[in-house]
Structure formats: structure tokens, C-alpha cells
Amino acid sequence: MNFSKLKFLFLGLIFLPAASVYAQYGRTTNTNTNPFVQGDTSHRKTAKPLTDDQLLDTLRKRDEHKADSVVFTSKYIRVTNARLLNVSTQVIPLDTTLNNFENYSALYQPRSPKIGLGNLGLAYRDLLFEPRKSIGFDIGIHAFDAYLLRPEDVTYYRARTPFTNLYYVNGSLKEQLFGVTHTQNIKPNWNAGFDFNRIGSVGFYPRQKSDHLEAAVFTWYESKSKRYNLLGNLTFNNLKAPENGSILSDSIFKKSTGQVSTNSSLAKSSQPVRLNNSRDNYRNNSLYIKQIYYIGKTEGLNTPAGSSSSVVPTQRISHTFIYNTQQYKYLQDEADVYNVFPQHNTDTLFSRDSLHVQHIRNEFSYSFALRGNAVKFVRNELKLDLGLVHDYYNYNQWVRANGLVSTQNYQQKVQSNSFQDITLKARLGYNLSDRAGLDINLQQVTLGREFGDYFYNARLNVLLGNKIGSVIAEAYTQNNTVPLIYTSWRSSHYTFTNNDLNKQKTTGLSFNYLNEKLQLDAKAEYFLLGNYLYFAAANTSPDSAYSNNLQPRQAGGVISLLKLSLGKNFIYHNFHFDNFLVYQKTNNTDVLRTPEFYTYNSLYYNKKFFNVLSTSYGFAVRYNTKYLAQAYAPGIGQFYNNSNFAFANYPVIDLFVKGTLKRTNLFLKYTYANQGLQSKGYYTTVSPGASPASQVGYPMQDALLIFGVSWNFYN
């Protein structure tokens, strides 16, 4: 199937009926991490419908290019996504708050921290244990997932006025982000737009400049009868990240005192590195079309199409089509002088490794709901969803052929495969009342390469009272096929062939207590990991550099992990003290390398000036205890175990001030403000040249002054 032809066909379907439709982009790196913070500066007030006189005045003055008497705000914009529309046609207010606005980076979200190679846009891994709840075919490369814009992440809009958002972050050119969001309704029941986002971060050290582009074109159509919905989008991701193999110096941070030999930006930008002409390129493009039709009695049909009212169906049928192409490339035009790689299979100077994956998915689903007559607090609602998913995969892996001169880049195919999977889905939901509900989710691969994969989940929600709070109890178990990179992989520097690895089995139990009145969020999780997969390299000599000859490993027995999380916000007048703490305990710290304790604390003061400028200024502290560090393998994007030491760790303090002025949110942030007090810098990932005598790693970012702005335009 030709993706480019589908792309132009899809664009034509969206834009042919409209003279001009512009676009929108949802910011994926600025997520709301506080479950109790409201997401709309308009306080979620329902926008009043325009009167006939107001509507005529709006149209007349628009034609005359004069000022409109109707002042449009975020109250006229509603948003939704595919997940919300799976249940019913529901929309929520546009989030324009300052909550978490200063945490712009995908790597440093308070409740989902990550560690990496020292700059935004480079490879990373999760700092805390966060299991993947998915089944089916998996390549096994996830070091860039947080930067991707996926079809299911796209936000859809219901805009009573054209809406545009401009987003820009600049940290002295060391870190730069730019995004544009535009959307508008073609008709009251038809919206279209596009997303555009760029990350261009130079970093502090050589060969750290990331160059990422993520974009999407989308549309949402709802029929006048409100029974039919069409969601469609095209997503484009082109991620370019250099590999520098870390700096050569092993004394930039002295081991005992943490002092730095030189602290100038010029000196750091000229530090020699192990790789000078190697880079990754990851592309991920998708076409997504979802159609939903409501059958039978449907609540909310009497409201006008395109309104903000919810439509709750009793029966629903849907079809989802996804065409996705992925391309992983590692390109190298230099000799491996510093032994970053364990082997050179085809050429000692050049690498042209690539993996191409084509995925076509068709998903059919049917759901119905039985609702009894409500009596006082008794709701008595039963809902059943049934689904069938057909997945087709085709992948090809290539390497540079042997015996070529430097001007030739001919590749030879080293493996190819095509296969299909059939997955059955069922979801059962029962609500005894508006205070208690049970949800059961079952997924099973019944035919194909991943036969035997399953995901079973049960979730109980109970609202004990508005003052007492609510509890959520959840249990799940899943069985996963071993990812491709562990079983069959051949590239210029790594060859893995393992047919004796068993499916991974994960069981999880959790109990979550939420109390909005107390601003309290407490959660206890317990995991059992069977046949846990990871990468490791065994050291041959205690005095030599740590080995980089990593190989897939599977842990024997069962690894257990207890994870306790506590979120608590304190408010005293205008002072806010937000806290998030995590405690983790595992019975195998050598394999599962994650800190035992992590905390994020933010103290700030809210102040409104002249009744128009809302501000918050304060500081945030993040800290985690020592844990056994992991190394990183360039070329395949894998973090692996090879050392037996833990890096020294100190709190990192950020100072910030942020504010809202009418339609504009701004922040000024000084990251790592305490650099030079307890330490001059820190590592999180072991570098290729590390040894027991020289415990060094990839240096993390220095202190940096960062400015950010988000500017909304209506009409």
C-alpha cells in the first residue's frame, strides 16, 4: 500500500469542501499531573448561546472587517479524543491553566520522571518502574516514545470560533521547542485542523543537537442526526538524534568532591567525544480513520449537532482503520576509535542499519447498554463491548553490504517477515449507582504469531462520599510475546538470535485512594514479573572497562516490586505546597534498576496584580536515592546492566515564575539553580569508557535560564 497516495487522498477529503482550513497542535509534553486541578481558567462555565442579534452582528462585522461585539474566549472551545468518544459523544473544556506549565520537558514530568543522555530529544528511559500494559507485536525500541505524536494522542475540537495556539520555549538556544495549533469548524458539526511541533535542542556538549518534527492533520465530523461520528488524522514523526558515545573526559566531575575542572560553556562544547559522525533517525507515520454509529435509543439526540451536550447511546458499532509505517535507522560514517561497540559485522568505518515496519489494523466493535429506571441512588446500568482486531505486519531489516567503498551505501536485506494476528476483545461495565462501578477488560490474541498473548484487567470504583473521597481497586495480568530485538536482530554492531526465551508474564494489584477535599492521592501497587526481559553485559575483568557486549537476558524466577505513591497538596491562603513521593522496593535490585525513593516538591505563592495578571512564583525540588546505574548502547537504543555502582545523587532545585495575562501564559524558569553548591554536575547513565576506577557517565544538563510562552487566539 502506498502511504503517500493515502496521504493526499486524506488531505483532499478534509480540505476540498472548505476554502481554507488551518490547523492545531496538542502539547504532549505538558501534561496535567495533578488529579485535583481544574483544567480551565474560565472556571468551566458553560458558554451561553449567541442570540440572533449577536450572531447577525458577528457576521456583519466580520464582512465589514470591524471589531466584533462578541468577545470569544476559551469557553467557546471544547475538546475530546478517541478514548472519550468510545463511551459517548462528550467534550470537555479547553485547558488554559498554569498547572504544570513550567514543566515543559517530556523528560522531567513530576509524576513520570525519566533519565537519559543529557539533553532533551535524546534517548531516555523511565526512572520509576512503569510497566507497559499492551500485548501483540513489539519491536522493543522505546527510547524515543515520549517524543512521538501518535494517532490516539490527537485532540479533536469543537470550536465555535477559529482557535490558534502558539507555543515557544527557549533556553539560550540550548533547548528550544516550538508548536502551533490551529483549528476551526467548517460547519457547526464539522471541525478540521493541524498540529505542528518542533524540538531543536543543541545541548551543552558536542553532538547533542536533537532535531524532531511531529505534525498531524485531523478532522472530526458529526452527522446532523448525531448518530454518526467520523474521526480522522494523519500523523508524521521525524526524529533525528545524534549519538556521541559520551565525552572522553573522566574527570569533568571529580569523583570524591563533585568539583568540576572547568565550568565554562565554551570548554564543555569543545570536549572530545567518542562518536563524531553517528546518528539515529526514527520515522513514524500513520493514517487513522475511526467511524462510530449509534443504534437504537440515544440520550441527547434532541440537542443541535455540534453542541457541547453529551450524547449517551444504548448501542454503538464502530470501525477503526490504522495504516502505520515505522523506520529505524542508525547511520555511522567514522571508525570506532574508542571501542563504543562490541563488534563490527560488516564494516569498520560505515554503518547503514535500518528496520522498516508496515502495520495495517482493522478493528470492529459493537457495544450495548442496559439501563434500568433510576431509583434514588440506584443506577443499575450494564454495558458490554465486543471487539475483533485484525493486525497485519511486514518488516524488513537491512545492513550495509560488505566490501563497499566509502561512496557506496548499498544495503543488503538480512531478514524479512510477514504475519497476521487476530485479537478478541470484551469489556463489561456495571454501575450499581453513580457511586459504584465495576469494569472488566479482556483481550486475547487467538490467532497468529503472538498467539497466547493476553491482557485481563478488573477495576472497581467506589465513591465513599464527597468529603470522605473515593477508592479505586484494580488487578490485571498479562502475557507478552518476546519483542523482536531480543529474538532476531542483526545490525552492524549487534547480533541477537534467541529462540528459547519465554513470554513475559506480569501481574499487578493496586489500591488508590483519592480525596479532592483534602487534595490527597495515595496509591499502593504490587507487581509480580515472570520471565522478565532485559539487556546485560558481563564483565570479564574487575580492573578493565565495563563490558559493552550486551546480550538479551531473561530473569529466572519471579521478580516482585512494591510501589507506594503519595500525592498531597497543602494550601494556606495564597501559598501552595504540592508534593509527590514514591517508595519502591524490589527483591532483585541487580536486574530491576530503579531508585528506592523519589520525591518532587513544589512550593509557590499565587498573586493577582491589577485583577488581570495572575502569577505564581516559587521553587521545585526533585530527588531520588542512589540505585545501580545502567549503560546505553548506541545504534539500538537500549539501556543495559553492566556496572555494579551507583552515581552520587543530590537534590535538583528549579526556580520559576509563571503568569497568565488575558490569553497568554508565560513562565521564566532557572533549572538546576543549586549547581555548584553540593555538586558541579551529575550523571545518570554509564558511559562506554567507565570502569571500576573511573565511574563516569553521560553528563546531564547544567543550570539554564528558560523562557516559555503559550498564546491563544480566538477568531
Side-chain angles (χ1 to χ4, degrees):
M1 184 177 294
N2 192 312
F3 184 81
S4 61
K5 292 182 179 179
L6 284 174
K7 175 175 65 176
F8 291 115
L9 175 61
F10 184 78
L11 290 171
L13 290 174
I14 294 178
F15 295 109
L16 184 61
S20 64
V21 176
Y22 304 96
Q24 156 261 285
Y25 187 173
R27 221 69 57 210
T28 60
T29 60
N30 187 20
T31 56
N32 188 340
T33 59
N34 189 332
F36 304 116
V37 175
Q38 300 297 316
D40 186 11
T41 52
S42 63
H43 305 292
R44 298 185 183 271
K45 294 179 181 178
T46 302
K48 295 181 179 180
L50 299 180
T51 65
D52 293 339
D53 291 338
Q54 288 175 323
L55 184 59
L56 289 173
D57 179 75
T58 296
L59 296 174
R60 182 180 67 255
K61 292 191 175 181
R62 184 176 296 173
D63 291 338
E64 296 173 356
H65 304 286
K66 295 182 179 180
D68 193 350
S69 62
V70 178
V71 179
F72 289 98
T73 66
S74 62
K75 294 184 293 184
Y76 292 88
I77 310 298
R78 291 293 185 268
V79 300
T80 190
N81 55 40
R83 180 182 58 82
L84 289 175
L85 293 176
N86 273 336
V87 180
S88 61
T89 304
Q90 52 183 319
V91 291
I92 59 177
L94 179 70
D95 186 359
T96 57
T97 64
L98 287 173
N99 177 52
N100 204 44
F101 180 58
E102 72 279 11
N103 292 316
Y104 64 93
S105 173
L107 303 182
Y108 299 115
Q109 292 302 302
R111 298 201 176 197
S112 183
K114 306 180 190 310
I115 61 172
L117 307 184
N119 192 32
L120 179 65
L122 303 183
Y124 73 91
R125 76 171 181 91
D126 292 323
L127 175 66
L128 305 175
F129 179 72
E130 297 182 16
R132 296 176 54 84
K133 294 184 178 180
S134 61
I135 59 174
F137 177 67
D138 182 16
I139 297 168
I141 299 177
H142 300 288
F144 296 95
D145 284 3
Y147 309 119
L148 293 175
L149 178 61
R150 300 179 183 276
E152 57 270 23
D153 299 329
V154 171
T155 299
Y156 302 92
Y157 290 76
R158 183 166 284 168
R160 294 172 58 186
T161 180
F163 168 70
T164 303
N165 173 264
L166 297 179
Y167 180 78
Y168 180 66
V169 174
N170 187 308
S172 303
L173 301 182
K174 300 295 184 182
E175 287 191 351
Q176 287 192 96
L177 293 86
F178 174 73
V180 179
T181 295
H182 179 89
T183 184
Q184 66 184 65
N185 274 25
I186 300 172
K187 293 182 177 181
N189 58 328
W190 187 11
N191 178 274
F194 69 83
D195 298 343
F196 179 83
N197 195 33
R198 289 295 299 266
I199 297 178
S201 296
V202 176
F204 289 88
Y205 298 89
R207 299 290 299 163
Q208 284 192 326
K209 183 180 179 181
S210 59
D211 183 9
H212 295 350
L213 182 150
E214 304 100 28
V217 181
F218 64 89
T219 187
W220 175 24
Y221 172 79
E222 181 184 44
S223 67
K224 293 183 178 180
S225 66
K226 304 193 75 172
R227 290 187 177 274
Y228 175 75
N229 280 272
L230 170 68
L231 302 176
N233 67 64
L234 277 168
T235 56
F236 310 90
N237 297 271
N238 188 3
L239 313 182
K240 299 177 182 179
E243 296 280 10
N244 68 5
S246 186
I247 60 175
L248 278 174
S249 174
D250 61 358
S251 59
I252 188 168
F253 305 133
K254 291 185 178 179
K255 177 182 174 183
S256 58
T257 64
Q259 295 178 355
V260 67
S261 57
T262 177
N263 205 31
S264 69
S265 297
L266 179 61
K268 291 184 176 181
S269 64
S270 60
Q271 283 284 331
V273 294
R274 290 178 170 82
L275 295 175
N276 290 281
N277 199 358
S278 300
R279 62 268 185 208
D280 298 311
N281 185 201
Y282 176 28
R283 298 191 178 192
N284 189 318
N285 303 323
S286 295
L287 167 66
Y288 174 93
I289 300 175
K290 185 181 183 71
Q291 301 179 81
I292 305 170
Y293 188 77
Y294 301 140
I295 304 173
K297 182 181 178 181
T298 303
E299 300 174 13
L301 285 180
N302 294 328
T303 57
S307 70
S308 60
S309 302
S310 296
V311 176
V312 182
T314 55
Q315 296 185 72
R316 174 181 60 85
I317 57 174
S318 68
H319 171 253
T320 303
F321 172 80
I322 300 176
Y323 176 69
N324 172 259
T325 60
Q326 300 178 57
Q327 186 179 80
Y328 303 83
K329 285 185 178 181
Y330 173 70
L331 310 175
Q332 179 182 336
D333 296 301
E334 60 183 321
D336 183 17
V337 177
Y338 300 102
N339 299 318
V340 174
F341 302 102
Q343 54 187 275
H344 304 86
N345 297 323
T346 57
D347 198 312
T348 59
L349 296 178
F350 303 96
S351 296
R352 291 295 182 270
D353 301 338
S354 65
L355 176 72
H356 302 253
V357 182
Q358 181 187 63
H359 177 206
I360 301 175
R361 165 171 287 194
N362 281 280
E363 180 174 355
F364 304 88
S365 68
Y366 168 75
S367 68
F368 68 88
L370 300 177
R371 301 185 180 95
N373 295 326
V375 180
K376 294 184 179 180
F377 64 88
V378 178
R379 188 174 178 181
N380 198 25
E381 178 184 80
L382 176 68
K383 184 179 180 182
L384 178 64
D385 297 332
L386 300 174
L388 183 147
V389 182
H390 175 265
D391 290 297
Y392 169 80
Y393 291 94
N394 173 264
Y395 67 83
N396 298 276
Q397 190 169 22
W398 306 73
V399 297
R400 189 173 187 268
N402 286 311
L404 300 180
V405 298
S406 61
T407 56
Q408 295 176 305
N409 291 320
Y410 178 75
Q411 292 178 298
Q412 60 181 359
K413 186 185 296 185
V414 292
Q415 67 168 321
S416 178
N417 194 12
S418 298
F419 57 91
Q420 304 178 60
D421 286 334
I422 299 292
T423 304
L424 298 181
K425 294 184 176 182
R427 181 186 290 269
L428 177 66
Y430 178 69
N431 293 319
L432 178 62
S433 67
D434 57 357
R435 292 176 175 266
L438 175 65
D439 185 76
I440 298 175
N441 180 17
L442 307 175
Q443 301 179 32
Q444 176 87 48
V445 179
T446 57
L447 184 67
R449 180 181 181 273
E450 278 65 42
F451 173 76
D453 281 18
Y454 61 78
F455 177 78
Y456 304 149
N457 177 268
R459 180 186 178 98
L460 176 65
N461 298 269
V462 179
L463 176 62
L464 302 176
N466 294 330
K467 295 183 178 180
I468 302 176
S470 61
V471 296
I472 303 173
E474 186 173 3
Y476 81 93
T477 181
Q478 71 179 47
N479 203 33
N480 292 83
T481 297
V482 180
L484 178 67
I485 196 170
Y486 288 85
T487 59
S488 179
W489 190 267
R490 183 181 173 186
S491 63
S492 297
H493 305 297
Y494 306 95
T495 301
F496 307 133
T497 303
N498 298 281
N499 298 318
D500 56 349
L501 298 177
N502 299 316
K503 289 178 180 284
Q504 298 183 94
K505 297 181 179 180
T506 305
T507 301
L509 301 172
S510 67
F511 182 85
N512 193 193
Y513 173 71
L514 297 165
N515 190 310
E516 185 172 0
K517 182 178 178 61
L518 298 178
Q519 295 283 291
L520 177 65
D521 173 16
K523 189 174 186 179
E525 300 172 271
Y526 184 69
F527 300 98
L528 295 175
L529 311 174
N531 300 326
Y532 182 74
L533 289 166
Y534 64 103
F535 281 95
N539 292 316
T540 57
S541 172
D543 299 322
S544 62
Y546 291 113
S547 173
N548 59 6
N549 189 21
L550 66 152
Q551 293 293 324
R553 301 286 181 84
Q554 189 158 54
V558 176
I559 298 177
S560 64
L561 181 136
L562 174 67
K563 183 178 181 181
L564 304 177
S565 307
L566 176 65
K568 171 62 180 173
N569 303 331
F570 298 93
I571 302 175
Y572 179 75
H573 296 291
N574 289 338
F575 286 97
H576 291 250
F577 187 32
D578 298 345
N579 303 273
F580 181 66
L581 301 90
V582 177
Y583 172 77
Q584 300 181 128
K585 190 66 174 179
T586 178
N587 65 343
N588 196 334
T589 56
D590 185 58
V591 172
L592 207 59
R593 301 193 170 191
T594 183
E596 187 169 333
F597 181 75
Y598 163 82
T599 179
Y600 177 90
N601 313 93
S602 179
L603 177 64
Y604 55 96
Y605 181 80
N606 288 343
K607 178 67 175 178
K608 193 166 188 177
F609 296 95
F610 313 112
N611 291 323
V612 293
L613 178 60
S614 299
T615 62
S616 299
Y617 43 93
F619 66 92
V621 182
R622 51 185 169 89
Y623 171 76
N624 60 266
T625 53
K626 289 184 179 181
Y627 62 97
L628 292 179
Q630 283 191 312
Y632 173 73
I636 55 173
Q638 299 297 319
F639 290 81
Y640 63 98
N641 302 339
N642 76 333
S643 66
N644 56 3
F645 70 88
F647 288 122
N649 201 29
Y650 304 96
V652 174
I653 301 176
D654 300 334
L655 307 179
F656 66 86
V657 57
K658 56 185 177 179
T660 296
L661 181 61
K662 293 185 177 180
R663 302 175 179 181
T664 307
N665 289 350
L666 306 101
F667 77 82
L668 189 65
K669 183 176 183 179
Y670 188 56
T671 63
Y672 198 8
N674 59 319
Q675 184 178 18
L677 297 180
Q678 293 177 300
S679 68
K680 294 293 184 179
Y682 64 101
Y683 306 116
T684 62
T685 304
V686 179
S687 70
S691 67
S694 175
Q695 299 177 1
V696 296
Y698 286 81
M700 295 297 102
Q701 296 98 323
D702 286 349
L704 187 63
L705 183 65
I706 300 170
F707 167 77
V709 59
S710 176
W711 197 352
N712 291 332
F713 299 88
Y714 308 97
N715 199 12

